[in-house]
Amino acid sequence: MIKCISCGEEYSLNEIIYTCEKCGSVLEVIKDVDVSKDIFSCRKQTMWKYKEFMPVDESKIVSLEEGGTPFVKCDKLGGELGIDLYVKVEGSNPTGSFKDRGMSVGITKAMELGVSTVGCASTGNTSASLAAYAARAGLRCVVLLPSGKVALGKLAQAMFHGAEVLSIKGNFDEALEAVTALALEGELYLLNSVNPFRLEGQKTIGFEIVDDLGWKSPDRVILPVGNAGNISAIWKGISEFYDAGFIENKPMMTGIQAEGACPIVNAVRKNKMEIETVDNPETVATAIRIGAPVSSLKALRAIYDSKGYAETVSDEEILNAQKLLARKEGIGVEPASAASIAGLLKLVDECVVDKGEQVVCIVTGHLLKDPNTAINACVEPLEVEADIKNLREVIKKN
Ligand code: AN7
């Protein structure tokens, strides 16, 4: 069933509904599952390994084999910080971000419902992913993007997969409001993370982390927070495995936002359950340039219930962390993703993260999503003659 997280009102799985009709709050999908974790062990490493926990019809699955992403132990960086550090590399998904997990379930649901048009507003990655999965399913796809603020790799993907791309004069929050109005009029099936089926896919990040750790919870999970769907989803996934008796502990959920777009951090600092929206969010990490996160209540519950934390990082800290992860560990991520690493550095500095903690940082999207930011952070290559003697001298000098 679909259930309101505030008033508990219940809806059928086949209703097209995004927020509670009774109280206006957000919804979640609930499925009773009774299986042993042993059934997972021989299965292919995609997120559908945990299909019993997915509330969709198995015969209709639309998949590009998302999930099963690298879980990389980072001993160099972890050693310097005095912690046990793993990085979950979500840029290795089919379209280069974690959004593919949610879209696989979301588009499967769209096929079950028999809709013909799907749509979303996006800071980039959601639209890139939706465009690809809609193409695979043969559905019409409409995406609304904040004009001039979407990283070029993501824009290229949305257009190349054949979505109808509309550049909105306004920011992400305004684009989301517009596309939601279209969805409520029945023009399209909305696949932003307010659609609770999206989070059912994304919760598999939580499944994979504890599976990769040998059915143990890490002490802490750190990730960037924008619209706040992912932190809510990962917490839901880990909680489901905890409730199933697969693990004995749960991690401290730790959300990182950019200084210029931090409504969730502001709420945590005041120990509140409601956010004040940020009207003109601004950050180099355009993926998380969001002032009115729709899943804020779910995210705040995750942070408080897990005794977690929330912190901001500056654009400079984000770009420095992006370079550090690329050069020290060989992992290339987009700026928003580097917020998790920047946050980790800050929290170690502030002694929020204890020495010896086992920490999992989620890096949410690939470096090449935002090629301009990557190129701008580097000096241009030297132009030289292809002459061995000359080359030898140039290499020696550098
Ligand atoms: C790389 O694509 O909101 O807190 O429209 O692309 O679940 O929103 C992207 C979000 C983190 C934040 N990292 O996740 C969109 C969009 C990357 C992202 C986030 C996004 P949420």
Side-chain angles (χ1 to χ4, degrees):
M1 74 182 135
I2 299 173
K3 193 170 176 185
C4 173
I5 72 157
S6 293
C7 76
E9 184 72 3
E10 293 176 9
Y11 301 90
S12 131
L13 278 178
N14 288 320
E15 236 172 293
I16 296 186
I17 185 167
Y18 307 107
T19 50
C20 182
E21 279 169 3
K22 226 170 115 191
C23 76
S25 190
V26 285
L27 307 170
E28 67 180 354
V29 183
I30 307 227
K31 184 181 182 192
D32 287 328
V33 188
D34 184 13
V35 293
S36 152
K37 66 181 188 312
D38 301 334
I39 61 170
F40 304 132
S41 61
C42 296
R43 293 185 182 164
K44 196 164 180 178
Q45 302 292 325
T46 80
M47 71 169 210
W48 291 99
K49 180 176 175 185
Y50 314 100
K51 62 187 179 188
E52 283 77 8
F53 283 82
M54 308 298 226
V56 286
D57 176 356
E58 199 183 320
S59 71
K60 294 215 167 53
I61 292 174
V62 179
S63 173
L64 291 163
E65 305 210 345
E66 48 292 320
T69 52
F71 189 64
V72 180
K73 196 161 195 314
C74 290
D75 284 336
K76 273 195 275 177
L77 188 52
E80 282 173 20
L81 298 173
I83 60 164
D84 184 19
L85 176 64
Y86 290 85
V87 170
K88 182 76 171 152
V89 185
E90 288 296 294
S92 294
N93 275 298
T95 77
S97 84
F98 70 98
K99 303 286 182 182
D100 294 340
R101 298 174 185 265
M103 283 312 164
S104 181
V105 174
I107 290 288
T108 300
K109 187 66 200 172
M111 298 306 277
E112 273 183 29
L113 293 167
V115 303
S116 57
T117 305
V118 292
C120 70
S122 179
T123 58
N125 281 324
T126 300
S127 67
S129 183
L130 181 60
Y133 283 80
R136 186 154 173 86
L139 299 177
R140 182 176 169 217
C141 175
V142 178
V143 306
L144 277 62
L145 305 178
S147 156
K149 291 292 182 183
V150 170
L152 286 186
K154 308 172 189 183
L155 181 61
Q157 286 178 295
M159 295 192 299
F160 202 79
H161 286 296
E164 291 165 49
V165 177
L166 303 171
S167 191
I168 299 297
K169 292 178 192 157
N171 60 29
F172 167 81
D173 303 297
E174 291 160 320
L176 182 58
E177 212 178 301
V179 79
T180 304
L182 283 177
L184 292 176
E185 283 178 10
E187 297 284 341
L188 49 83
Y189 181 56
L190 184 63
L191 278 170
N192 279 100
S193 56
V194 67
N195 182 328
F197 287 93
R198 276 272 317 278
L199 303 193
E200 292 303 295
Q202 287 167 210
K203 75 184 180 185
T204 58
I205 297 177
F207 292 170
E208 288 176 14
I209 289 171
V210 301
D211 191 343
D212 277 332
L213 287 173
W215 301 103
K216 288 203 174 73
S217 167
D219 295 316
R220 186 184 298 274
V221 172
I222 305 183
L223 74 161
V225 172
N227 219 10
N230 210 27
I231 189 168
S232 311
I234 294 171
W235 178 242
K236 186 172 192 282
I238 291 181
S239 299
E240 286 179 4
F241 271 15
Y242 177 86
D243 292 341
F246 298 171
I247 50 172
E248 283 170 8
N249 300 296
K250 294 195 267 186
M252 294 176 272
M253 298 302 296
T254 304
I256 309 297
Q257 296 197 292
E259 275 174 1
C262 63
I264 305 256
V265 178
N266 288 339
V268 171
R269 284 178 181 155
K270 293 184 194 146
N271 203 24
K272 281 195 164 161
M273 265 300 172
E274 301 85 37
I275 57 154
E276 280 172 39
T277 59
V278 171
D279 283 340
N280 295 302
E282 206 44 84
T283 167
V284 66
T286 52
I288 52 171
R289 188 172 170 270
I290 295 174
V294 294
S295 296
S296 59
L297 182 55
K298 288 182 180 175
L300 288 166
R301 284 188 185 174
I303 291 166
Y304 295 133
D305 289 353
S306 70
K307 301 192 168 46
Y309 203 77
E311 184 56 284
T312 57
V313 288
S314 68
D315 281 0
E316 193 189 348
E317 287 169 321
I318 287 173
L319 295 176
N320 286 341
Q322 185 191 21
K323 208 174 238 182
L324 180 73
L325 189 64
R327 303 214 166 165
K328 202 175 275 295
E329 299 287 359
I331 301 172
V333 304
E334 66 168 286
S337 311
S340 61
I341 302 296
L344 169 66
L345 299 178
K346 191 161 174 182
L347 295 182
V348 167
D349 219 38
E350 290 172 351
C351 297
V352 172
V353 171
D354 281 336
K355 294 288 169 209
E357 256 188 40
Q358 187 177 61
V359 178
V360 176
C361 283
I362 320 277
V363 290
T364 43
H366 198 278
L367 172 70
L368 295 177
K369 287 283 192 172
D370 188 348
N372 286 2
T373 303
I375 289 167
N376 289 342
C378 303
V379 291
E380 291 210 6
L382 270 181
E383 197 168 289
V384 288
E385 300 293 336
D387 165 82
I388 276 288
K389 199 166 149 257
N390 187 25
L391 278 172
R392 219 184 277 131
E393 267 163 32
V394 172
I395 291 173
K396 239 187 251 157
K397 252 190 269 160
N398 281 291

